[in-house]
């Protein structure tokens, strides 16, 4: 049994909140540059150039890439051989509190969805814990902006809807979103599980590197097919027309019920942020 | 080529702007997003004065991050505009001539823009670090309790934006995509 002080988790969460918000992951930068190289319209190229310039400024100056520094999604993979000394939930929230204060990040959380009073420190985090073998804790912080979150949808398809149903639903969600989620977007798709699990899979899909296709050849093919179909739509950067509507489609799946085919689509913008550290 | 414009933007000047034009905005603009819009419209409905002069004003839909040491503002890109659709027609009727945001607008907003002469600009969503460089001065003028959502008076210089919907209702989200697809498909 390995003992880890909860205070150490606070320190890591704090650091990851700041770093994730100011430095765009290399794989996302790489995809944006590759799309810029393929784009030929004047307006689309100009926008992608400014998007590249923006993340370069943010990284160099340590300022947030986007003013919507999001709700802090925190994913913990906790080794079964670890004992955490202290209050884990409180430690994670304290990390968010300190990270959003010191990093001069925006506090975007309200305490109640209807009375809408800001909590003032961006807590609580959206915390997901998973038990895994081993004696380490893997901590991922993924700040999620709501311009794109608001464009996400879930649908309980019927088994008979099959592959066509999934394909049509993903394309419909992207069409409905249009220019709103700041294209070029990243499309996270969760298929299977239950109502709640499909949504979580879609969010987890957004954390897979954009240059990494699904391990299943079938779903890897579907990811490529959907990306091509989305980019045929012509929505383009910021919705002003062009080739680059999406940077990637990532699909995650899991077993489901004989009666169901849940399908969730979680949209992210070009500022797809996440950073991981292992304790 | 970008067209330089200055605020306050008169109705006549707003009516001259055309869908698809790239502009560089200089002058004073005000920030407001969801919560501030709600309060502004509540004041307007009671017939009370607004905390800033709405006549010929441009409102930027933004909730910036806190400023770094020595800077006027933190990251400051646009937020999605449709959430302000319930409030914009009231403000346009009171004199607002420019809105800066990103994403679609509803028919009620476009109708008010056509009736009164107002324009909707798009700024690049997710480019907050870059856009912040155009903000030379920022001060809170109302609703400090709202934090990032407070109303700020910004002095901007050459702030880049695109006319997305003009005062005739022509919409770049429709025309830009259609033109791209037509060119691609050789129609």
């Amino acid at each position: 049994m390995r003992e880890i002080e909860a205070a150490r988790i606070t320190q890591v969460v704090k650091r990851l909140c700041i770093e994730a918000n100011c430095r765009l992951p290399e794989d996302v930068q790489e995809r944006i540059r590759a799309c810029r190289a393929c784009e030929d319209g004047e307006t689309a190229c100009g926008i992608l150039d400014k998007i590249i310039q923006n993340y370069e400024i943010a990284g160099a100056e340590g300022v947030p890439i986007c003013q919507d520094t999001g709700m802090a999604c925190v994913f913990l993979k906790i080794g079964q051989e670890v004992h955490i000394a202290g209050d884990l939930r409180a430690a994670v929230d304290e990390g968010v509190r300190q990270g959003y204060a010191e990093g001069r990040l925006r506090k975007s959380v309200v305490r109640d969805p209807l009375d809408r009073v800001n909590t003032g420190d961006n807590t609580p985090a959206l915390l997901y814990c998973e038990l895994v073998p081993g004696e380490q804790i893997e901590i991922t912080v993924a700040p999620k902006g709501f311009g794109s979150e608001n464009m996400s949808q879930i649908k309980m398809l019927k088994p008979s809807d099959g592959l066509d149903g999934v394909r049509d639903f993903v394309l419909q969600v992207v069409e409905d979103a249009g220019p709103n989620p700041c294209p070029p977007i990243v499309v996270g798709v969760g298929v299977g599980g239950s109502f709640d699990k499909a949504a979580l899979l879609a969010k987890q899909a957004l954390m897979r590197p954009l240059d990494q296709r699904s391990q299943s050849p079938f779903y890897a093919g579907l990811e490529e097919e959907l990306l091509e179909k989305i980019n045929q739509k012509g929505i383009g950067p910021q919705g002003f027309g062009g080739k680059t509507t999406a940077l990637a489609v990532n699909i995650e799946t899991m077993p489901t019920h004989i009666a169901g085919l849940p399908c969730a689509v979680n949209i992210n913008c070009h500022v797809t942020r996440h950073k991981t550290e292992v304790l | 080529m970008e067209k330089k414009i200055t605020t306050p933007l008169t109705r006549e000047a707003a009516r001259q702007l055309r869908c698809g034009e790239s502009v560089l905005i200089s002058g004073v603009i005000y920030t407001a997003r969801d919560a501030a819009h709600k309060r502004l419209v509540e004041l307007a409905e009671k017939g009370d004065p607004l905390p800033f002069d709405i006549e010929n004003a441009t409102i930027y839909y933004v909730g910036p991050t806190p400023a770094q040491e020595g800077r006027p503002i933190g990251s400051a890109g646009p937020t999605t505009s449709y959430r302000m659709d319930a409030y914009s027609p009231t403000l346009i009727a009171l004199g607002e001539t420019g809105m800066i945001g990103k994403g679609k607008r509803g028919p009620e907003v476009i109708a008010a823009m056509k009736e009164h002469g107002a324009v909707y600009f798009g700024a690049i969503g997710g480019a907050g670090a870059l856009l912040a460089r155009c903000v030379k001065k920022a001060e809170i003028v109302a609703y400090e309790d709202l934090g990032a959502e407070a109303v700020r008076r910004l002095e901007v210089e050459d702030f880049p934006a695109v006319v997305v919907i003009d005062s005739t209702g022509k919409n770049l989200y429709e025309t830009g995509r259609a033109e791209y697809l037509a060119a691609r498909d050789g129609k």
Side-chain angles (χ1 to χ4, degrees):
Chain A
M1 181 67 77
R2 178 180 170 216
E3 178 140 321
I4 295 180
E5 291 286 333
R8 286 187 63 197
I9 295 169
T10 296
Q11 288 311 305
V12 174
V13 168
K14 169 188 162 183
R15 190 163 60 240
L16 293 180
C17 284
I18 298 171
E19 288 175 7
N21 268 302
C22 300
R23 190 170 292 275
L24 196 64
E26 202 51 53
D27 58 290
V28 183
Q29 295 191 20
E30 184 52 44
R31 273 301 294 158
I32 295 172
R33 286 192 294 263
C35 289
R36 166 63 182 86
C38 296
E39 194 68 70
D40 43 27
E42 191 189 331
T43 308
C45 287
I47 289 165
L48 292 175
D49 283 340
K50 288 201 173 80
I51 284 173
I52 291 168
Q53 210 187 336
N54 181 70
Y55 70 64
E56 287 175 350
I57 291 171
E61 298 184 1
V63 298
I65 309 159
C66 177
Q67 76 291 335
D68 187 352
T69 51
M71 284 189 91
C73 300
V74 178
F75 294 87
L76 302 182
K77 285 185 183 168
I78 303 170
Q80 287 167 199
E81 308 303 322
V82 176
H83 173 252
I84 297 164
D87 183 335
L88 176 62
R89 170 87 239 182
V92 169
D93 281 341
E94 184 58 26
V96 169
R97 188 174 292 118
Q98 290 181 16
Y100 275 71
E102 271 184 45
R104 294 173 187 263
L105 308 176
R106 198 179 77 185
K107 290 75 182 174
S108 311
V109 177
V110 292
R111 68 180 184 185
D112 179 280
L114 292 178
D115 89 7
R116 309 204 70 80
V117 176
N118 200 299
T119 62
D121 58 7
N122 220 55
T123 67
L126 294 171
L127 177 61
Y128 294 95
C129 297
E130 187 186 341
L131 284 176
V132 296
E135 52 170 34
Q136 294 179 322
I137 302 179
E138 184 192 282
I139 304 172
T140 298
V141 174
K144 184 65 170 77
F146 260 55
S148 55
E149 193 74 0
N150 281 336
M151 294 297 115
S152 305
Q153 297 184 38
I154 188 163
K155 192 166 185 181
M156 302 305 279
L157 295 166
K158 299 188 295 293
S160 63
D161 293 328
L163 175 59
D164 283 345
V166 170
R167 197 190 272 127
D168 292 349
F169 180 57
V170 174
L171 295 174
Q172 187 57 52
V173 173
V174 173
E175 183 64 37
D176 290 349
N180 290 1
C182 301
I185 57 176
V186 177
V187 183
V189 182
V191 190
S194 52
F195 182 77
D196 51 324
K197 276 287 183 183
L200 182 57
L201 286 173
K203 177 137 282 131
Q204 287 168 330
L206 295 173
M207 271 167 288
R208 189 192 331 138
L210 303 190
D211 51 6
Q212 214 177 81
R213 298 280 48 82
S214 170
Q215 286 181 350
S216 142
F218 174 78
Y219 287 106
L222 184 58
E223 289 174 349
E224 280 168 15
E225 183 201 328
L226 284 170
L227 179 61
E228 197 186 320
K229 287 205 162 90
I230 288 167
N231 285 334
Q232 288 289 319
K233 283 178 174 290
I235 295 169
Q238 297 293 308
F240 298 151
K243 287 181 184 171
T244 317
T245 300
L247 300 171
V249 178
N250 286 358
I251 303 173
E252 296 294 339
T253 66
M254 70 179 293
T256 188
H257 190 276
I258 50 173
L261 177 47
C263 184
V265 181
N266 198 187
I267 305 282
N268 213 345
C269 57
H270 56 86
V271 189
T272 288
R273 298 157 284 191
H274 48 85
K275 196 162 168 69
T276 300
E277 201 171 308
V278 176
L279 264 182
Chain B
M1 196 51 210
E2 290 124 333
K3 180 173 181 176
K4 287 191 178 246
I5 60 171
T6 53
T7 58
L9 195 64
T10 62
R11 291 185 188 281
E12 294 67 39
R15 283 193 199 278
Q16 279 164 19
L17 292 166
R18 286 289 162 263
C19 165
E21 274 184 321
S22 291
V23 297
L24 294 172
I25 304 169
S26 296
V28 170
I29 61 177
Y30 293 92
T31 73
R33 39 172 297 153
D34 311 55
H37 268 81
K38 186 164 185 267
R39 291 191 189 179
L40 292 172
V41 167
E42 279 166 4
L43 283 180
E45 280 167 356
K46 281 190 286 183
D48 290 342
L50 302 191
F52 62 92
D53 187 6
I54 191 77
E55 182 70 28
N56 297 334
T58 293
I59 295 183
Y60 181 20
Y61 305 152
V62 58
T65 60
Q68 310 287 112
E69 206 63 53
R71 296 278 181 88
I73 202 163
S75 195
T79 193
T80 322
S81 306
Y82 72 89
R83 298 193 315 271
M84 270 50 80
D85 283 1
Y87 311 113
S88 292
T90 304
L91 297 180
I92 292 169
L94 286 174
E96 179 188 26
T97 52
M99 299 164 281
I100 308 172
K102 52 119 176 161
K104 295 178 255 192
R105 303 309 303 263
E108 66 282 19
V109 178
I110 298 172
M113 290 167 62
K114 287 161 79 170
E115 185 186 344
H116 298 282
V119 65
Y120 171 52
F121 301 102
I124 297 180
L130 179 70
L131 292 170
R133 292 188 162 188
C134 305
V135 178
K136 301 304 167 190
K137 204 174 158 191
E139 59 176 344
I140 292 178
V141 294
Y143 314 145
E144 193 162 6
D145 61 298
L146 293 178
E149 294 202 68
V151 173
R152 289 171 170 79
R153 177 187 185 275
L154 305 185
E155 286 178 25
V156 297
E157 212 172 279
D158 292 338
F159 182 97
V162 176
V163 178
V164 176
I165 305 175
D166 65 23
S167 61
T168 70
K170 198 174 168 201
N171 189 337
L172 183 62
Y173 291 135
E174 291 159 10
T175 60
R177 186 178 178 186
E179 280 166 23
Y180 164 78
L181 290 174
R184 184 192 72 188
D185 302 336
K187 281 172 197 159

